[in-house]
Amino acid sequence: MIKGIDHIGIAVKSIEGSLPFYEKVLGLSLLKVEEVEEQGVKVAFIQCGNVKIELLEPLFEDSAVGAFIKKRGEGLHHVALGVRTIEERIHELKEKGVQMIDDVPRKGAGEASIAFLHPKSANGVLYELCEKTLEEEKKH
Ligand code: CMX
């Protein structure tokens, strides 16, 4: 059902200001930077072994990630689990009593289909289901 961890989302005030830690200090490689306007974020993907670190910078202060940083400060935002056939996975989780934030997938970075589980169903952790396009799957 779950293929593994696809990426870990970290909320940051500034991607530019945060990248030197990942690139210069940790020696990791930046894969790409893109804006996901629907979600009010700019994201940077950094390869870390088989997993990616996704830096999330709010595009405006009252976006979801902007509100998160205001309330809790920078830090771990979500864990994204790689899946196939996301609609079936959502259905399956709901059958098992999981409360979903998204009953219907929405568009994430790289045209992926994503859906969040409500943290109260998952030990306070915000989990994202993430089904990548076949093209993206081949790339990374
Ligand atoms: N970690 C833990 N709990 C969190 C959380 C987080 N990162 N974000 C929200 N919550 C909690 C809230 O405190 C709230 O709890 P209560 O119901 O107890 O008050 C609950 O989850 C619901 O949060 P909300 O903000 O009230 O609900 P919304 O439906 O408005 O939004 C969410 C939920 C998670 C989608 C939104 O807050 C968010 O973070 N959106 C941005 C998502 C994002 O990262 N997009 C980029 C994706 C790019 C990609 O990965 O492809």
Side-chain angles (χ1 to χ4, degrees):
M1 179 190 168
I2 304 292
K3 293 195 308 177
I5 293 181
D6 181 81
H7 65 263
I8 294 173
I10 314 278
V12 298
K13 289 180 187 159
S14 155
I15 286 176
E16 203 189 339
S18 307
L19 272 179
F21 171 72
Y22 293 92
E23 293 188 296
K24 297 205 169 79
V25 179
L26 299 183
L28 300 174
S29 300
L30 175 67
L31 292 172
K32 64 171 178 176
V33 178
E34 94 178 65
E35 284 189 8
V36 188
E37 278 200 45
E38 296 90 327
Q39 314 240 1
V41 285
K42 181 156 120 181
V43 301
F45 281 101
I46 296 154
Q47 194 72 51
C48 182
N50 293 329
V51 174
K52 284 173 285 304
I53 293 170
E54 179 190 43
L55 303 181
L56 303 150
E57 175 191 312
L59 286 177
F60 41 92
E61 216 173 288
D62 61 352
S63 63
V65 174
F68 174 90
I69 291 176
K70 205 169 171 188
K71 193 170 159 192
R72 308 182 190 210
E74 293 182 305
L76 184 61
H77 181 264
H78 67 263
V79 176
L81 304 170
V83 297
R84 294 208 179 87
T85 54
I86 190 165
E87 286 88 354
E88 283 173 31
R89 299 289 79 80
I90 293 171
H91 179 73
E92 204 170 87
L93 287 172
K94 285 172 73 176
E95 293 262 290
K96 290 178 176 169
V98 173
Q99 186 181 332
M100 298 295 299
I101 286 177
D102 299 302
D103 288 329
V104 177
R106 53 170 129 169
K107 202 173 84 176
E111 301 291 317
S113 289
I114 64 170
F116 288 95
L117 280 66
H118 197 292
K120 75 177 164 206
S121 283
N123 308 105
V125 175
L126 180 62
Y127 280 106
E128 171 192 311
L129 301 182
C130 172
E131 180 177 7
K132 289 199 276 204
T133 60
L134 287 178
E135 212 170 85
E136 281 289 316
E137 192 88 44
K138 274 186 225 146
K139 274 196 232 163
H140 313 296

